[in-house]
Structure formats: structure tokens, C-alpha cells
């Protein structure tokens, strides 16, 4: 049995539990391209010679590049933020403000990991001004993901991390690439869209445009797989793709017992 690897970040909608299903839909290729890499579970649990990994969240990509090029120092410095005296409400909000005020890339990368592991349920959310605004998580002892950071740093040597729009990433595609897209999902209800991964957002026009870009890439011989909620809207948007579904657990609740099963839709363009 192949060992699975967890991302070092907590991430709403992370694909750790679906990695095998996603990889089963992706053909062999010389490069896997992810326009919405998120926490990187597909990257960490796939086997390609090279990776092009993108996200619109600059803090996320800066963090990944720090881990890729400076793993030992980064891990040593980040560990200092995972001690008892930093795990209280007052310190959390002070460090959150420090993060929002900082323009130093390395400092922000350290604080981003701290906020991810100490904030409410690992959410990544910014207000309209670009300020990180996730509340304190109040965990007994937040986990410091040292082993996960070390594995990520090792695997990252095969990857290039970029911070561009998803449209720009599609313009980079070449024959021999395969694409997995994990965009912010279509909300299941008017009140369900709780997460803004970056202040730019991702609206319904973007959802439809992504499908169109996937169609065009497919016409060039490039396989594209997109995941999303299974709704009437997404089935209409992905009407040119091969569709499949499965049930997955998803919730933003800290209480695992309240997590419910929802339908996940895979749209495969090949």
C-alpha cells in the first residue's frame, strides 16, 4: 500500500481523502498543472516528473517557495510559534495584526502557518481590504506539522510555484501537460459561501469561464479534470465534459459529528 501524505496546512475543501479518485482520472504526462493548488494534497499524492502549481493567494505561494528553498531555517523559526504562550486569544489577535501589518515576505510566511494552525478550523479568509480575519480557534495544543513540512520541501524540488490568475495558467499549457482544477466551489445555498481564499474572489462568471478554458485545452489534446459541488448549475456549466459523482464529507464545523455527506462532481475533459 502506497503511503499517503498529508498537507502541512489545514484547508477547507482539501483533497486528501479524494487523492486516489482524482489520480485515477488523470493520465500519465510530463507535467501536472494545478491552477488552484490550495494545500497541495493532489500534488503530494501524485507522481509526475514536474509540477506547475499556482494559486491567486500570494501568501500561500510565498510560503511554499520559502519551504522549497529554505526548509531547515523555516521549520526552525516556525516551531517557535507553536508553544503554549502563543496559544491564547490575546496573542493570536496580536500576531494576526502583525501579519496584516507586515510587508516582509518571510515574516508573513511564518505567521501564515501559525494563523492556519491556531485559527478557527484552518480557514483562510480575508476581508475586502485584504486583511486576514479568521477568529481564534481555541485548540488545546495546535499541531506543528514538522514531518509534513519536510516531505513538502522534498517534493517541492520538482515543482514551480507561481501566483497568477487561472486564465494566465491556462495560457501556459503545452502538449504533454495534464491539468487538475480545484476552484472555489459553487455554494450549495445562498449562505454557504463562507470562504474567500483571496480578496479577488471567484464568481459564477469565473466558474463558466473555467469550463470554457477546459474545453479549449481539451481541443488542443490536454486533459483537464475539474472538481466542484454537484448542482444543477455545475452540470450545466460542465455539459461538454464526462461527469462522475461521489459522496464526500464536508463541513466548516469544528465538531466532526456535524459533518454531512455532499455530492462531489468531477468533470473530465479529454
Amino acid at each position: 500500500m502506497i503511503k499517503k501524505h498529508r498537507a502541512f496546512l489545514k484547508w477547507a475543501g482539501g483533497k486528501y481523502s479524494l487523492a486516489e479518485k482524482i489520480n485515477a482520472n488523470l493520465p500519465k504526462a510530463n507535467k501536472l498543472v494545478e491552477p488552484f493548488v490550495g494545500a497541495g494534497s493532489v500534488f503530494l499524492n501524485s507522481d509526475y516528473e514536474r509540477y506547475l502549481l499556482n494559486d491567486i493567494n500570494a501568501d500561500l505561494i510565498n510560503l511554499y517557495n520559502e519551504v522549497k528553498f529554505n526548509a531547515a531555517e523555516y521549520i526552525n523559526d516556525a516551531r517557535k510559534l507553536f508553544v503554549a504562550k502563543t496559544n491564547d486569544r490575546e496573542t493570536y489577535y496580536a500576531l494576526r495584526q502583525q501579519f496584516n501589518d507586515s510587508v516582509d515576505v518571510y515574516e508573513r510566511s511564518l505567521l501564515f502557518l501559525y494563523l492556519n494552525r491556531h485559527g478557527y478550523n484552518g480557514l483562510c479568509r480575508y476581508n475586502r481590504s485584504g486583511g486576514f480575519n479568521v477568529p481564534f480557534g481555541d485548540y488545546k495544543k495546535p499541531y506543528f506539522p514538522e514531518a509534513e513540512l519536510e516531505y513538502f520541501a522534498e517534493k517541492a524540488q520538482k515543482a514551480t510555484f507561481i501566483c497568477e490568475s487561472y486564465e494566465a495558467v491556462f495560457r501556459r499549457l503545452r502538449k504533454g501537460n495534464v491539468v487538475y482544477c480545484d476552484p472555489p466551489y459553487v455554494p450549495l445555498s445562498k449562505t454557504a459561501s463562507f470562504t474567500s481564499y483571496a480578496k479577488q474572489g471567484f464568481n459564477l462568471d469565473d466558474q463558466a469561464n473555467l469550463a470554457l478554458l477546459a474545453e479549449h485545452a481539451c481541443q488542443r489534446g490536454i486533459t483537464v479534470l475539474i472538481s466542484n459541488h454537484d448542482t444543477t448549475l455545475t452540470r450545466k456549466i460542465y455539459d461538454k465534459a464526462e461527469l462522475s459523482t461521489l459522496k464526500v464529507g464536508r463541513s466548516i464545523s469544528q465538531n466532526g459529528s456535524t459533518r454531512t455527506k455532499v455530492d462531489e462532481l468531477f468533470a473530465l475533459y479529454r
Side-chain angles (χ1 to χ4, degrees), residues 16 210 222:
Y16 176 80
L210 177 61
I222 299 168

Side-chain angles (χ1 to χ4, degrees), residues 131-145:
F132 192 89
N133 65 355
V134 176
F136 181 55
D138 198 20
Y139 298 105
K140 184 175 181 180
K141 187 179 181 181
Y143 173 67
F144 180 59

Side-chain angles (χ1 to χ4, degrees), residues 133-192:
N133 65 355
V134 176
F136 181 55
D138 198 20
Y139 298 105
K140 184 175 181 180
K141 187 179 181 181
Y143 173 67
F144 180 59
E146 182 167 0
E148 291 85 350
L149 282 162
E150 289 174 345
Y151 183 77
F152 188 99
E154 177 185 343
K155 187 76 179 279
Q157 303 311 308
K158 293 183 175 183
T160 299
F161 298 98
I162 59 174
C163 182
E164 299 181 352
S165 68
Y166 67 93
E167 297 102 327
V169 177
F170 270 83
R171 289 194 291 270
R172 287 175 173 261
L173 298 180
R174 300 292 183 269
K175 282 284 187 69
N177 296 169
V178 62
V179 185
Y180 171 60
C181 296
D182 183 26
Y185 278 16
V186 169
L188 291 172
S189 69
K190 290 181 179 179
T191 59

Side-chain angles (χ1 to χ4, degrees), residues 186-188 229-239 243 265:
V186 169
L188 291 172
H229 283 142
D230 187 0
T231 68
T232 301
L233 176 62
T234 51
R235 283 182 172 269
K236 182 177 180 179
I237 290 173
Y238 305 140
D239 63 347
L243 302 180
L265 184 67

Side-chain angles (χ1 to χ4, degrees), residues 15-53:
K15 292 299 181 289
Y16 176 80
S17 64
L18 298 178
E20 295 98 335
K21 175 70 174 179
I22 291 166
N23 280 311
N25 281 283
L26 295 174
K28 292 182 179 179
N30 61 20
K31 182 187 291 185
L32 176 64
V33 179
E34 292 194 59
F36 311 88
V37 67
S41 289
V42 174
F43 156 62
L44 291 168
N45 292 287
S46 59
D47 186 19
Y48 289 88
E49 182 181 342
R50 291 180 293 151
Y51 296 85
L52 178 63
L53 305 176

Side-chain angles (χ1 to χ4, degrees), residues 5-269:
H5 296 277
R6 288 193 178 274
F8 66 83
L9 293 171
K10 298 167 71 176
W11 207 254
K15 292 299 181 289
Y16 176 80
S17 64
L18 298 178
E20 295 98 335
K21 175 70 174 179
I22 291 166
N23 280 311
N25 281 283
L26 295 174
K28 292 182 179 179
N30 61 20
K31 182 187 291 185
L32 176 64
V33 179
E34 292 194 59
F36 311 88
V37 67
S41 289
V42 174
F43 156 62
L44 291 168
N45 292 287
S46 59
D47 186 19
Y48 289 88
E49 182 181 342
R50 291 180 293 151
Y51 296 85
L52 178 63
L53 305 176
N54 177 79
D55 203 278
I56 197 64
N57 186 324
D59 289 316
L60 184 68
I61 296 303
N62 289 336
L63 165 56
Y64 288 165
N65 278 316
E66 289 293 345
V67 175
K68 175 182 177 178
F69 294 112
N70 193 26
E73 182 181 1
Y74 181 88
I75 291 171
N76 185 59
D77 288 342
R79 187 187 295 109
K80 299 171 186 175
L81 291 170
F82 285 72
V83 294
K85 67 180 182 180
T86 62
N87 187 32
D88 66 75
R89 188 176 302 273
E90 183 178 352
T91 303
Y92 174 85
Y93 287 114
L95 289 174
R96 191 181 77 174
Q97 188 61 50
Q98 183 177 333
F99 172 82
N100 286 331
D101 292 340
S102 178
V103 294
D104 182 87
V105 171
Y106 187 65
E107 180 182 41
R108 286 180 69 90
S109 71
L110 293 170
L111 291 171
F112 189 86
L113 177 61
Y114 166 83
L115 293 170
N116 174 265
R117 285 284 171 176
H118 291 75
Y120 178 77
N121 215 33
L123 291 180
C124 180
R125 189 182 66 194
Y126 299 81
N127 60 30
R128 291 182 180 179
S129 300
F132 192 89
N133 65 355
V134 176
F136 181 55
D138 198 20
Y139 298 105
K140 184 175 181 180
K141 187 179 181 181
Y143 173 67
F144 180 59
E146 182 167 0
E148 291 85 350
L149 282 162
E150 289 174 345
Y151 183 77
F152 188 99
E154 177 185 343
K155 187 76 179 279
Q157 303 311 308
K158 293 183 175 183
T160 299
F161 298 98
I162 59 174
C163 182
E164 299 181 352
S165 68
Y166 67 93
E167 297 102 327
V169 177
F170 270 83
R171 289 194 291 270
R172 287 175 173 261
L173 298 180
R174 300 292 183 269
K175 282 284 187 69
N177 296 169
V178 62
V179 185
Y180 171 60
C181 296
D182 183 26
Y185 278 16
V186 169
L188 291 172
S189 69
K190 290 181 179 179
T191 59
S193 186
F194 64 92
T195 301
S196 179
Y197 300 98
K199 63 182 178 180
Q200 293 90 343
F202 197 85
N203 60 33
L204 295 182
D205 287 339
D206 287 310
Q207 301 282 358
N209 187 46
L210 177 61
L212 186 62
L213 291 172
E215 291 175 32
H216 291 163
C218 181
Q219 291 166 4
R220 296 167 53 200
I222 299 168
T223 297
V224 181
L225 178 66
I226 305 176
S227 57
N228 213 316
H229 283 142
D230 187 0
T231 68
T232 301
L233 176 62
T234 51
R235 283 182 172 269
K236 182 177 180 179
I237 290 173
Y238 305 140
D239 63 347
K240 301 292 195 302
E242 300 172 28
L243 302 180
S244 60
T245 62
L246 74 161
K247 295 230 178 246
V248 298
R250 183 172 296 118
S251 171
I252 62 168
S253 172
Q254 286 180 303
N255 183 354
S257 66
T258 66
R259 296 173 191 256
T260 58
K261 295 286 186 179
V262 297
D263 288 323
E264 183 97 0
L265 184 67
F266 289 110
L268 181 62
Y269 296 82

